[in-house]
Amino acid sequence: AGDVLLLMNHFLQKVCRAIGRTLPAIDTEVQKALLGYRWPGNIRELENTLERAVHVCRDNIITMEDLSRDVTLQFNAGSKQPAPVHRTERQQPHISGNSAQLLKHQEYSSILDVLGENGGNIRRSAEMLGIARSTLYEKIRRFGIDMDELR
């Protein structure tokens, strides 16, 4: 748990420094969820989760809604609370234990969550993700994301 806290702080500082943003507060429930998560994608998954959370959080506070579906599902399963709905089950890709596939899944989840939050608005989603619109269009095509479902 101590290592996860140190890594969380390091990754939050790193992403905030890179985008010129002040360090966000982290909701107590989020801390519990991050500390209790198994991190099958290792520290890269933790880094990606926190980077995405910084980009999508509102009022400079990271809440449960800013986390990936995997983290919230595991946390809510342990606490017996309903999980926030981030996407339809039909849009979930199949995951194997391969690290590259886990990273692709994290990227897919982040893109889908941000697009959904923005009602499919490409410009706003690309800004939140910190990528060019052309890159986002390419990733949408590569992942086969149905934009009609997000609007």
Side-chain angles (χ1 to χ4, degrees):
D3 290 343
V4 174
L5 284 173
L6 287 172
L7 288 168
M8 283 171 45
N9 189 42
H10 169 75
F11 292 139
L12 285 172
Q13 288 180 6
K14 178 181 169 184
V15 71
C16 289
R17 212 176 17 253
I19 63 174
R21 184 172 178 174
T22 59
L23 203 62
I26 301 176
D27 183 82
T28 307
E29 199 170 53
V30 169
Q31 287 182 6
K32 289 178 189 174
L34 294 176
L35 289 173
Y37 188 64
R38 288 187 298 272
W39 300 110
N42 217 329
I43 65 169
R44 287 186 182 140
E45 184 180 4
L46 173 62
E47 181 175 18
N48 290 339
T49 297
L50 291 170
E51 182 176 353
R52 182 196 168 280
V54 167
H55 283 288
V56 301
C57 75
R58 293 195 173 115
D59 301 321
N60 214 33
I61 300 171
I62 297 175
T63 64
M64 289 299 286
E65 289 76 32
D66 303 321
L67 298 181
S68 71
R69 184 170 189 268
D70 295 333
V71 175
T72 57
L73 281 175
Q74 181 181 311
F75 178 74
N76 289 324
S79 65
K80 305 294 185 233
Q81 296 174 0
V85 177
H86 290 288
R87 67 188 70 81
T88 61
E89 289 300 318
R90 192 165 55 78
Q91 289 181 314
Q92 278 300 323
H94 174 70
I95 305 295
S96 79
N98 178 319
S99 292
Q101 286 182 313
L102 289 171
L103 288 173
K104 284 180 184 176
H105 172 68
Q106 183 65 36
E107 180 181 35
Y108 169 86
S109 294
S110 296
I111 289 170
L112 197 58
D113 288 347
V114 171
L115 283 167
E117 183 177 313
N118 288 301
N121 183 300
I122 299 292
R123 183 189 56 76
R124 279 195 314 246
S125 297
E127 283 175 8
M128 287 177 76
L129 291 164
I131 59 176
R133 286 184 307 193
S134 59
T135 302
L136 182 54
Y137 278 117
E138 173 58 28
K139 290 178 184 295
I140 289 167
R141 185 194 62 71
R142 187 168 20 110
F143 286 123
I145 295 172
D146 184 357
M147 294 299 293
D148 291 333
E149 289 186 17
L150 299 170
R151 294 190 171 118

